[in-house]
Amino acid sequence: MTIPYDIINPNSRFELETSYIPSSSTKKDYEEEVHQIIHALGDRRGKIVAARAIRIETNIDLDATFDNLCSAYPDAFVFLFSTQPTGTWIGASPELLLRKKGDFLSTMALAGTRLSYDRDIEWDEKNRDEQALVSEFIMDSLMRHCGMVTAGKTYTKKAGSIEHICTPISAYMPPSDLAEEYDESYSNRLRKLLAELSPTPAVCGSDRTFSLKIIRKYEKFPREMYGGFCGPNDIDGVTAFFVNLRSAKVSKDAVAIYAGGGITPLSSPEKEWHETELKSKTIINKLKTSEE
């Protein structure tokens, strides 16, 4: 899935229209959602991602904001796309969903959050367990479709002012003529793998069916493209899709910034709210308005 960017008007790169922008999630509503998720999880080992939206009434300068994101986050996938079905989205994603070069695939298990200046402190049990759930899910998914699935050394990945736990993962997807068990096209196999990987537990939950049920029950706005994926398709032989997070949806008079946190039985509603505040600043602090 690639969302193309076309210059429609050379004097105005995007023809922004008024589109649906959710109202801001209140602290009370978000913490109540976290409480409900903790209760739904009970004693099970798992996680569910609770998201919130922050609406800002403003007119965004997309070119300047995109430049700000590129300068601030050189290691992120900075994106800007606009289509009639999706509206206009901008973001700086730290999370690779799947990269394909030849028959070799790479991805990452990214989860857990803390401030960068906490680096001398060991990651706590809640964050370590949250990231382990993501790693297990991705490894299991790849093993059903690929060979030579390998997890690299887990490390702390910086993303702006915050850090995450990251495990790089690689795999080999042999072409159909080299693997008798495959009787469908390579592209179809890749699509099935993407469908199995997305949404990952990092943006949804460890048990996808159960997590989606709980999210739909308690979350007060549609996520739309948030939590999906986008990226360049077959550019110089490389395809790379990134998770749509640390992102915002833009209309001509408002912007909605989306942020979420992985909820486990060990979560604190107050801390989860604070975590989404930190994540949302990735975009909020780099917004450039047309009036500036």
Side-chain angles (χ1 to χ4, degrees), residues 140-162:
D140 289 345
S141 296
L142 288 173
M143 286 177 181
R144 283 190 284 273
H145 297 268
C146 307
M148 297 169 56
V149 180
T150 306
K153 184 177 180 180
T154 298
Y155 66 99
T156 297
K157 179 178 173 64
K158 184 173 171 60
S161 62
I162 58 179

Side-chain angles (χ1 to χ4, degrees), residues 3 14 16 19 81-89 225 249-250:
I3 299 172
F14 283 79
L16 288 177
S19 60
F81 64 78
S82 184
T83 71
Q84 191 171 25
T86 66
T88 301
W89 290 76
M225 289 298 296
K249 184 179 181 184
V250 183

Side-chain angles (χ1 to χ4, degrees), residues 37-54:
I37 289 174
I38 293 172
H39 177 73
L41 285 168
D43 296 329
R44 73 174 70 195
R45 178 177 179 260
K47 63 172 282 189
I48 298 174
V49 175
R52 56 178 284 226
I54 302 169

Side-chain angles (χ1 to χ4, degrees), residues 29 32-33 36-37 39-40 213-220:
D29 283 344
E32 179 61 27
E33 180 183 357
Q36 297 286 1
I37 289 174
H39 177 73
K213 177 182 176 181
I214 298 301
I215 289 168
R216 287 165 179 155
K217 183 175 181 180
Y218 295 114
E219 213 156 84
K220 299 184 181 299

Side-chain angles (χ1 to χ4, degrees), residues 97-112:
L97 177 66
L98 192 67
R99 182 178 187 270
K100 174 188 175 294
K101 184 176 183 180
D103 299 324
F104 290 91
L105 309 178
S106 57
T107 182
M108 62 172 61
L110 190 76

Side-chain angles (χ1 to χ4, degrees), residues 109-172:
L110 190 76
T113 303
R114 71 181 184 188
L115 284 168
S116 294
Y117 59 68
D118 289 339
R119 64 177 57 206
D120 294 330
I121 302 173
E122 291 292 327
W123 285 97
D124 61 26
E125 180 184 358
K126 185 264 181 185
N127 282 294
R128 291 197 310 272
D129 190 52
E130 184 183 341
Q131 199 270 344
L133 288 165
V134 178
S135 294
E136 291 167 12
F137 171 88
I138 292 175
M139 292 286 287
D140 289 345
S141 296
L142 288 173
M143 286 177 181
R144 283 190 284 273
H145 297 268
C146 307
M148 297 169 56
V149 180
T150 306
K153 184 177 180 180
T154 298
Y155 66 99
T156 297
K157 179 178 173 64
K158 184 173 171 60
S161 62
I162 58 179
E163 295 177 330
H164 306 290
I165 307 173
C166 181
T167 303
I169 300 171
S170 60
Y172 171 65

Side-chain angles (χ1 to χ4, degrees), residues 172-224:
Y172 171 65
M173 179 179 277
S176 299
D177 57 357
L178 296 181
E180 294 181 359
E181 64 269 30
Y182 298 121
D183 58 358
E184 58 184 323
S185 71
Y186 196 96
S187 58
N188 282 340
R189 287 161 53 206
L190 191 62
R191 286 193 197 96
K192 285 185 176 180
L193 175 58
L194 283 167
E196 190 165 327
L197 285 174
S198 180
T200 72
V203 292
C204 179
S206 49
D207 181 330
R208 184 183 298 175
T209 301
F210 178 69
S211 298
L212 286 172
K213 177 182 176 181
I214 298 301
I215 289 168
R216 287 165 179 155
K217 183 175 181 180
Y218 295 114
E219 213 156 84
K220 299 184 181 299
F221 61 90
R223 294 189 182 185
E224 298 188 279

